[in-house]
């Protein structure tokens, strides 16, 4: 040591105090901000699986290695940063004494080798990353750079610091070798060569150590002062962010959408209260602490942006920029929130108030003006109101999950987007105008197209063999292997019906016994949930679950099998229905057909022998990891698979997910056109897929390109059609025989007479024959069955129109208590009721009620207070629009409830007026239970047909005149573009014949 080295050491130690104070202050500020978020108690356990996953992702770099060059370079930098900490702390002593080293280990050969490798690795790694950043710099063209929008200032500072750290490791060691001449070719192979260029100088070693020390101190100081530097803070926050990821099994946050949470618990729409519960995310403080941790951890690498279909087609959405905006807004608003500030939905201050409820100016004065100004900005809004997230950004997302799949630090972009959509729909009533029609059709007709439920069976009439229908050809699931969930697209959309018929024929050929639900099937609610209408999703899901439970009544859990052709239905039934009480074994048709081929139940005999490219549906591939089954099935059919550049987990979205199927694309290039352009580069004869939504979008894209002379002869097909073309077709009579199941009466069920004796003794046998036994869910007790075929209930039933609510709150669309009591009492059937019977105090179908006298969102969620209903304007107008004509009521309904032929009180929200059917399928006229009234039964279909046509014409006129069905002004939906999902004037409705 000498005066100079002691001076350097003293200066370094003094400055380090300031830098450590800055860093610790930054950690404190981040921790306090994260704690603002809502509780997330499900993120902590199980400990060992989560901890194991964190270690695996950290050491193996499983997510980073998806980009190969970046993967190994980042791994070297990461190890250099963490492992080099020991060498960095050693610099404290080396500035005072150039010969200093750690006791015990400082002279070990392994330590010298460790020092050598870390120094070289850090320099090589960071140099590679610097070059890659420059090669991908968003100069021209900006959209092609994954770094577009990233903050380059912080990135350059961090890169320089890391480079200095790596060089510091090398030069301190080389300086000591040059000065003290202690080296070993096995452990100092590189620094020995560098040492030959350096003089022997102890002061030089101290200077090198001082530079290494100060570079680390600069890092601590700058990141402590800039808590939004994700490129630096992810070095610390990535570990907990990976540990606390949504899926404890290590999977990414895809598949099921995260349940809508409030105060750490899933929101039960039956008892939800918007005054006390959080509906999605309308303010930054509505996100959970895990959401805040996500925002903090974003390293601005842009991998999500590079894979985003919206960004790549000129839309304003960038997942990276969205997360960065939320992060910057959150930390700017944090001082106001930490001081206790809070505003209600009306924008009034309710946190910092005095005893009289007025804003406490003294406390507000202690908050910086910047923080108070940030608190005034809406989370979602246009530039004119200073919104953080533009509505165009929010609604451009297709929820394809590419961003989540690629994110190296497990940020859950899709969950955050859906949460913001939920608030916009359920509370603000702000959403694209096209979604109002979607919500209305799902609520009233049980399908997005607004088609009649009885038309769900039309595809069967186009087949030469018979398909068993539950309730018509079979009263139970006995003897069947699978329930074939056809889906709305598979039943109504002409192109998707080809897939449905192909799958049905293949299953029948293989001898798989299956049945379909027919008119009783209802939309799974996938589009409603991803559009933010959680209320409507839960309603549809509960309705379907009760129906499925009635079908699988008495069936073992392992035998409750469902096969689906729609990737969105597959995801909803398999991943999301367990959240609301429905657990089944669900397989996609490509999985089942591939299994049948392996088992030699389907034997290809005529290879397709054509070039076919396969498009991975997002909700089959990324969301559910089904990549191999469709490809194996294509190989079995003899197709020559030619992969597109983006396939597998990097597959490009078709543009239909996230309810975008029902919205027009106004900005940039159409996503389906972009995907078709990529497919045509493979020169295919056919483009295959495994999802009806994808098929519609790709077909429209091919049609648009063929109109310009491109892709002549290219056809979009389902994988099942390729297999059907490859097998030997079987006679229709054989197919019918293969599906025939002879169900014998269940003798054991009739034996427990002693328990059932009180019921027939108390109920008259006469009315039981007239009770509604078909069409779904009738009701017992004092309440009337809604729609003549509604939910069967025993005991005191609530008024139809909403699931029970707290206190004196009125169910959306339900009558007052007095009106319900005045309804004529339906006689209880003696025979077992088919459908979804419920005993005890039962809830009526029609909607999930909520506390408060609130309106429902566009046929959706009822809300307390003055909150506006999405898609609805004036309550009076809503009431008139919600009421169907008397002609629409089924004949069976009129026969069973003559005392009330039409509702007398307006319905609100997703609920219905008294006397009308639950949302979803009608009871088919052919299933009318009164055999003594053939005239009424026969007349029902005839009267319904013109009524449906009248509705269609009326809706067309409403769209043309710019008014909704209630007469209120409405923004006219955009004109459908060629190749889009809109229908031109005169075009036939999907699923209908001319």
């Amino acid at each position: 040591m000498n005066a100079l080295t002691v001076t350097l050491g003293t200066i370094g130690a003094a400055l380090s105090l300031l830098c450590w104070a800055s860093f610790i202050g930054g950690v404190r500020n981040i921790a306090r901000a994260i704690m603002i978020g809502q509780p997330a108690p499900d993120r902590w356990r199980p400990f060992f699986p989560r901890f194991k996953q964190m270690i695996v992702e950290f050491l193996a770099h499983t997510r980073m290695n998806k980009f190969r060059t970046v993967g190994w370079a980042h791994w070297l930098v990461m190890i250099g940063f963490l492992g080099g900490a020991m060498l960095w702390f050693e610099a404290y002593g080396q500035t005072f004494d150039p010969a200093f080293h750690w006791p015990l280990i400082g002279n070990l050969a392994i330590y010298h080798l460790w020092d050598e490798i870390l120094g070289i690795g850090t320099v090589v790694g960071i140099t590679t990353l610097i070059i890659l950043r420059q090669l991908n710099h968003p100069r021209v063209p900006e959209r092609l750079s994954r770094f577009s929008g990233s903050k380059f200032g912080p990135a350059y500072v961090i890169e320089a610091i890391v480079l200095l750290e790596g060089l510091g490791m090398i030069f301190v060691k080389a300086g000591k070798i040059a000065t003290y001449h202690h080296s070993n070719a096995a452990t100092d192979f590189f620094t020995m060569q560098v040492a030959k260029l350096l003089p022997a100088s102890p002061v030089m070693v101290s200077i090198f150590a001082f530079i290494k020390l100060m570079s680390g101190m600069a890092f601590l100081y700058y990141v402590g002062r800039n808590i939004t530097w994700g490129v630096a803070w992810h070095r610390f926050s990535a570990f907990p962010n990976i540990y606390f990821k949504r899926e404890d099994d290590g999977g990414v946050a895809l598949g099921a959408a995260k349940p809508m949470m409030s105060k750490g618990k899933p929101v039960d729409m039956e008892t939800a209260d918007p005054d006390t519960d959080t509906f999605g995310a309308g303010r930054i403080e509505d996100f959970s602490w895990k959401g805040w941790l996500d925002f903090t951890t974003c390293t601005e690498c842009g991998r999500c942006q590079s894979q985003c279909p919206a960004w790549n087609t000129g839309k304003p959405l960038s997942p990276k920029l969205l997360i960065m905006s939320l992060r910057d807004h959150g930390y700017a608003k944090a001082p106001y929130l930490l001081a206790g500030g809070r505003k209600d939905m009306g924008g009034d201050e309710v946190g910092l108030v005095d005893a009289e409820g007025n804003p406490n100016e003294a406390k507000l004065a202690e908050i910086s003006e910047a923080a108070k100004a940030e608190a005034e900005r809406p989370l979602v809004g246009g530039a004119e109101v200073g919104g953080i997230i533009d509505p165009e950004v929010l609604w451009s997302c297709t929820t394809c999950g590419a961003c989540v799949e690629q994110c190296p630090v497990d940020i859950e972009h899709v969950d955050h987007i859906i949460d913001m959509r939920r608030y916009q729909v359920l509370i603000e009533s702000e959403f694209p105008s096209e979604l109002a029609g979607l919500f209305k059709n799902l609520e009233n007709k049980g399908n997005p197209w607004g088609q009649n439920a009885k038309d769900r069976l039309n595809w069967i009439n186009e087949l030469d063999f018979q398909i068993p229908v539950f309730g018509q050809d079979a009263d139970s699931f006995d003897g069947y292997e699978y329930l074939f969930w056809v889906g709305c697209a598979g039943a109504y959309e002409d192109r998707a019906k080809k897939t449905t018929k192909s799958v049905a024929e293949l299953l029948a050929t293989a001898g798989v016994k299956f049945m379909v639900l027919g008119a009783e099937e209802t939309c799974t609610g996938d589009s409603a949930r991803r559009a933010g209408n959680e209320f409507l999703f839960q309603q549809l899901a509960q309705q379907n679950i009760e129906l499925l439970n009635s079908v699988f009544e008495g069936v073992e859990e392992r035998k409750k099998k469902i096969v689906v052709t729609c990737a969105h239905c597959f995801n909803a039934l398999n991943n999301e229905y367990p959240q609301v009480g429905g657990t089944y074994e669900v397989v996609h048709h490509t999985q089942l057909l591939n299994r049948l081929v392996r088992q030699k139940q389907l034997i290809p005999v005529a290879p397709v022998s054509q070039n076919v490219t396969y498009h991975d549906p997002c909700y089959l591939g990324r969301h559910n990891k089904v990549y191999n089954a469709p490809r194996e099935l294509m190989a079995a059919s003899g197709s020559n698979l030619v992969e597109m550049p983006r396939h597998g987990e990097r597959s490009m979205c078709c543009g239909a997910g996230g309810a975008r199927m029902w919205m027009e694309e106004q900005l940039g290039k159409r996503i389906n056109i972009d995907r078709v352009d990529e497919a045509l580069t493979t020169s295919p004869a056919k483009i295959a897929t495994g999802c009806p939504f994808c098929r519609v979008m790709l077909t429209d894209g091919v049609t648009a390109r063929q109109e310009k002379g491109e892709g002549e002869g290219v056809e979009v097909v389902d994988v099942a059609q390729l297999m059907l073309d490859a097998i030997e077709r079987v006679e229709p009579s054989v197919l019918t025989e293969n599906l025939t199941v002879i169900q014998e009466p269940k003798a054991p069920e009739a034996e427990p007479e002693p328990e059932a004796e009180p019921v027939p003794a108390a109920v008259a046998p006469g009315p039981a024959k007239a009770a509604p036994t078909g069409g779904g869910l009738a009701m017992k007790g004092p309440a009337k069955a809604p729609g003549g075929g509604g939910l069967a209930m025993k005991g005191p039933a609530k008024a139809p129109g909403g699931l029970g609510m707290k206190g004196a709150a009125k169910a959306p669309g339900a009558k007052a208590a007095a009106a319900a009591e005045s309804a004529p009492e339906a006689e209880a059937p003696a025979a077992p009721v088919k459908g979804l019977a419920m005993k005890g105090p039962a809830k009526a179908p029609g909607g999930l009620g909520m506390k408060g006298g609130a309106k429902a969102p566009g046929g959706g969620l009822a809300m307390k207070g003055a909150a506006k209903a999405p898609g609805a304007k004036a309550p009076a107008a809503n009431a008139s629009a919600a009421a169907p004509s008397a002609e629409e009521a089924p004949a069976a309904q009129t026969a069973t409830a003559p005392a009330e032929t039409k509702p007398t009180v307006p319905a609100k929200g997703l609920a219905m007026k008294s006397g009308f059917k639950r949302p979803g399928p009608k009871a088919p006229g052919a299933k009318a239970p009164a055999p003594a009234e053939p005239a009424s039964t026969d007349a029902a279909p005839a009267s319904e047909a013109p009524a449906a046509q009248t509705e269609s014409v009326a809706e067309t006129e409403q769209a043309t005149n710019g008014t909704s069905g209630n007469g209120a002004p409405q923004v006219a939906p955009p004109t459908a573009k060629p190749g889009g999902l809109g229908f031109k004037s005169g075009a036939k409705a999907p699923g209908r014949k001319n």
Side-chain angles (χ1 to χ4, degrees):
M1 288 191 294
N2 55 44
L4 180 57
T5 60
V6 171
T7 301
L8 288 176
T10 304
I11 294 173
L15 289 177
S16 71
L17 295 177
L18 172 65
C19 297
W20 277 109
S22 173
F23 178 74
I24 293 172
V27 171
R28 173 180 172 273
N29 291 336
I30 288 177
R32 293 181 66 207
I34 290 175
M35 292 173 65
I36 293 173
Q38 298 290 316
D42 58 326
R43 301 295 183 132
W44 295 87
R45 287 177 173 76
F47 173 77
F48 288 106
R50 288 183 176 276
F51 186 77
K52 175 186 174 183
Q53 183 62 29
M54 181 185 73
I55 297 300
V56 168
E57 286 196 29
F58 156 57
L59 291 179
H61 247 40
T62 53
R63 310 300 300 282
M64 290 295 300
N65 285 332
K66 292 178 179 180
F67 284 61
R68 295 178 183 175
T69 304
V70 177
W72 64 259
H74 187 275
W75 189 88
L76 290 176
V77 172
M78 177 195 67
I79 296 299
F81 176 79
L82 296 176
M86 180 184 296
L87 303 172
W88 179 71
F89 279 106
E90 192 178 40
Y92 272 106
Q94 290 169 341
T95 55
F96 287 97
D97 179 7
F100 175 83
H101 57 75
W102 292 117
L104 302 179
I105 63 172
N107 277 328
L108 295 178
I110 189 64
Y111 183 77
H112 284 272
L113 180 62
W114 177 246
D115 191 349
E116 190 85 357
I117 292 174
L118 284 182
I120 298 172
T122 302
V123 171
V124 171
I126 195 61
T127 302
T128 303
L129 295 181
I130 290 173
I131 293 172
L132 287 174
R133 183 179 292 272
Q134 293 307 309
L135 291 176
N136 291 280
H137 195 284
R139 295 181 180 94
V140 177
E142 184 178 2
R143 280 264 169 180
L144 296 181
S145 170
R146 62 186 176 94
F147 294 113
S148 177
S150 297
K151 297 179 180 179
F152 277 78
Y156 289 153
V157 169
I158 298 304
E159 287 172 348
I161 289 174
V162 174
L163 181 60
L164 282 175
E165 277 296 300
L167 292 173
M169 295 180 203
I170 293 174
F171 279 96
V172 167
K173 186 177 182 184
K176 292 180 72 173
I177 293 174
T179 302
Y180 303 108
H181 310 292
H182 299 303
S183 63
N184 186 312
T187 59
D188 312 315
F189 49 87
F190 180 74
T191 50
M192 284 174 59
Q193 307 305 319
V194 177
K196 295 176 182 179
L197 305 175
L198 301 176
S201 172
V203 173
M204 179 189 66
V205 175
S206 289
I207 291 174
F208 284 158
F210 180 79
I211 293 173
K212 181 172 73 169
L213 181 65
M214 285 299 99
S215 64
M217 289 303 167
F219 174 84
L220 295 177
Y221 178 79
Y222 281 116
V223 299
R225 301 280 293 178
N226 299 275
I227 58 178
T228 59
W229 280 16
V231 69
W233 281 107
H234 83 278
R235 296 164 180 243
F236 308 102
S237 59
F239 294 100
N241 209 53
I242 295 172
Y243 176 87
F244 291 120
K245 66 195 302 183
R246 192 181 82 185
E247 305 300 330
D248 56 32
D249 62 356
V252 293
L254 294 175
K258 185 189 71 174
M260 190 164 70
M261 308 290 285
S262 178
K263 302 178 181 66
K265 298 179 181 179
V267 175
D268 182 358
M269 303 303 295
E270 189 176 332
T271 57
D273 183 351
D275 279 353
T276 57
D277 292 314
T278 301
F279 288 178
R283 295 161 296 193
I284 193 68
E285 58 267 34
D286 292 338
F287 290 100
S288 71
W289 58 260
K290 176 55 172 67
W292 283 72
L293 187 58
D294 274 353
F295 310 152
T296 304
T297 307
C298 179
T299 184
E300 303 177 24
C301 66
R303 292 189 177 201
C304 56
Q305 180 174 284
S306 69
Q307 302 297 306
C308 178
W311 178 261
N312 286 323
T313 54
K315 313 294 189 297
L317 168 65
S318 160
K320 176 188 71 178
L321 298 180
L322 181 141
I323 295 297
M324 289 171 59
S325 298
L326 293 173
R327 177 194 65 198
D328 294 345
H329 168 63
Y331 283 108
K333 187 179 178 181
Y336 167 79
L337 297 173
L338 290 170
R342 186 171 63 88
K343 296 182 183 295
D344 60 15
M345 287 190 293
D348 297 325
E349 179 63 44
V350 294
L352 297 175
V353 295
D354 56 23
E356 299 177 357
N358 299 317
N360 191 324
E361 299 298 339
K363 290 185 178 180
L364 288 171
E366 298 175 1
I367 303 172
S368 68
E369 291 299 323
K372 288 190 288 186
E374 198 71 25
E376 297 295 329
R377 299 178 64 189
L379 186 66
V380 177
E384 66 279 1
V385 294
I388 307 302
I389 305 298
D390 190 274
E392 289 287 356
V393 170
L394 184 63
W395 294 105
S396 292
C397 180
T398 65
T399 66
C400 69
C403 51
V404 180
E405 181 68 46
Q406 293 298 325
C407 181
V409 289
D410 288 296
I411 294 173
E412 300 160 5
H413 312 73
V414 173
D415 284 345
H416 302 321
I417 288 173
I418 291 177
D419 267 342
M420 287 188 283
R421 286 183 174 185
R422 283 165 171 164
Y423 187 88
Q424 293 302 302
V425 171
L426 301 178
I427 300 299
E428 295 292 340
S429 307
E430 296 291 342
F431 49 84
S433 58
E434 301 99 321
L435 292 181
L438 169 68
F439 297 155
K440 178 182 177 183
N441 288 336
L442 290 178
E443 175 191 347
N444 295 335
K445 297 291 187 177
N447 66 84
W449 284 278
Q451 298 291 296
N452 290 327
K454 59 184 178 62
D455 292 336
R456 281 186 178 270
L457 294 172
N458 285 353
W459 66 274
I460 296 180
N461 300 330
E462 300 170 15
L463 294 173
D464 296 329
F465 58 98
Q466 298 299 314
I467 303 291
V469 180
F470 179 72
Q472 294 182 9
D473 306 298
D475 293 330
S476 71
F477 194 68
D478 291 346
Y480 290 94
E481 299 175 65
Y482 287 92
L483 173 66
F484 183 9
W485 185 275
V486 178
C488 301
Y492 295 119
E493 211 283 326
D494 287 337
R495 289 161 287 192
K497 283 198 290 185
K498 295 178 182 178
T499 302
T500 304
K501 291 183 285 187
S502 298
V503 172
E505 184 172 347
L506 287 168
L507 294 180
T509 301
V512 176
K513 308 278 186 196
F514 71 89
M515 63 162 59
V516 298
L517 291 175
E520 293 301 312
E521 189 178 291
T522 303
C523 179
T524 58
D526 165 84
S527 293
R529 187 173 220 194
R530 275 145 189 84
N533 199 335
E534 183 72 11
F535 174 76
L536 183 53
F537 165 75
Q538 289 196 23
Q539 182 186 28
L540 294 168
Q542 289 180 0
Q543 179 176 317
N544 280 324
I545 288 171
E546 295 203 29
L547 175 61
L548 290 171
N549 288 346
S550 73
V551 173
F552 292 126
E553 184 178 0
V555 178
E556 298 177 41
E557 288 295 326
R558 63 184 181 86
K559 293 184 178 181
K560 295 180 179 180
K561 298 180 179 181
I562 302 174
V563 58
V564 298
T565 58
C566 176
H568 298 263
C569 294
F570 173 63
N571 183 69
L573 292 169
N574 191 44
N575 297 323
E576 299 189 332
Y577 275 36
Q579 295 177 355
V580 284
T583 303
Y584 317 99
E585 181 181 330
V586 187
V587 296
H588 191 257
H589 73 281
T590 58
Q591 294 175 302
L592 179 56
L593 293 177
N594 189 48
R595 191 182 308 164
L596 295 174
V597 171
R598 287 181 173 183
Q599 295 171 353
K600 306 299 182 182
Q601 291 178 259
L602 284 175
I603 303 176
V605 294
V608 175
S609 301
Q610 290 179 313
N611 285 348
V612 182
T613 190
Y614 176 68
H615 165 78
D616 286 278
C618 299
Y619 275 81
L620 183 63
R622 267 189 298 269
H623 282 272
N624 287 281
K625 310 304 176 191
V626 179
Y627 298 113
N628 295 329
R631 288 173 168 81
E632 290 178 6
L633 194 60
M634 290 175 63
S637 70
S639 303
N640 179 29
L641 175 62
V642 183
E643 294 283 14
M644 287 182 257
R646 291 176 291 185
H647 65 276
E649 67 179 24
R650 291 193 191 177
S651 177
M652 171 73 170
C653 179
C654 72
R660 291 295 318 177
M661 176 83 168
W662 320 107
M663 291 182 269
E664 186 56 74
E665 288 190 55
Q666 305 284 5
L667 303 172
K669 184 180 180 181
R670 295 179 67 89
I671 294 176
N672 61 330
I673 296 291
D674 189 71
R675 184 56 167 167
V676 166
D677 287 344
E678 183 177 4
L680 294 180
T681 62
T682 65
S683 302
K686 290 182 171 65
I687 301 173
T689 188
C691 172
F693 283 20
C694 295
R695 180 171 184 167
V696 168
M697 300 297 283
L698 295 176
T699 302
D700 289 344
V702 168
T703 302
R705 282 294 177 246
Q706 289 176 344
E707 290 175 353
K708 295 184 178 181
E710 303 174 23
E712 294 296 331
V714 175
E715 181 186 5
V716 181
V717 299
D718 190 273
V719 176
Q721 290 177 267
L722 296 176
M723 178 52 61
L724 186 61
D725 291 340
I727 68 168
E728 183 176 352
R729 308 290 282 271
V730 180
E731 291 294 325
S733 59
V734 177
L735 296 176
T736 301
E737 183 180 351
N738 287 350
L739 295 179
T740 302
V741 173
I742 306 300
Q743 294 183 333
E744 298 181 359
K746 296 182 180 180
E749 290 188 1
E751 290 178 2
E753 275 304 319
E755 297 181 15
E757 281 180 3
V759 177
V763 180
K769 296 180 180 179
T773 58
L777 319 175
M779 292 170 50
K780 275 189 177 182
K784 191 171 81 71
L791 292 171
M793 304 181 191
K794 293 184 180 181
K798 296 181 184 178
L803 300 178
M805 296 162 295
K806 296 165 67 176
K810 185 166 76 74
K815 294 184 178 183
E821 292 174 1
S822 64
E825 181 174 349
E827 296 188 20
V833 182
K834 293 180 184 178
L836 315 180
M838 295 182 289
K839 294 185 179 181
K843 296 180 289 187
L848 307 179
M850 289 191 339
K851 188 175 180 181
K855 296 188 297 183
L861 176 62
M863 292 165 291
K864 189 174 180 181
K868 187 175 62 169
K873 303 297 180 186
N878 262 347
S880 63
S885 63
E887 292 179 0
E888 289 180 308
Q893 174 183 336
T894 307
T896 56
E900 184 176 350
T901 58
K902 63 180 181 178
T904 56
V905 175
K908 296 181 181 179
L910 295 179
M912 300 158 299
K913 295 184 178 181
S914 175
F916 276 82
K917 72 176 185 71
R918 58 189 168 89
K922 295 181 181 178
K927 294 173 69 177
E933 296 179 9
S936 299
T937 306
D938 296 338
S943 61
E944 286 175 3
Q949 294 171 6
T950 304
E951 284 182 11
S952 178
V953 173
E955 289 174 6
T956 304
E957 291 177 353
Q958 291 161 11
T960 304
N961 298 333
T963 60
S964 63
N966 53 24
Q970 188 181 50
V971 179
T975 305
K977 295 182 180 180
L981 298 178
F983 295 98
K984 296 181 179 179
S985 177
K988 69 187 184 72
R992 289 195 174 192
K993 298 181 180 179
N994 289 327

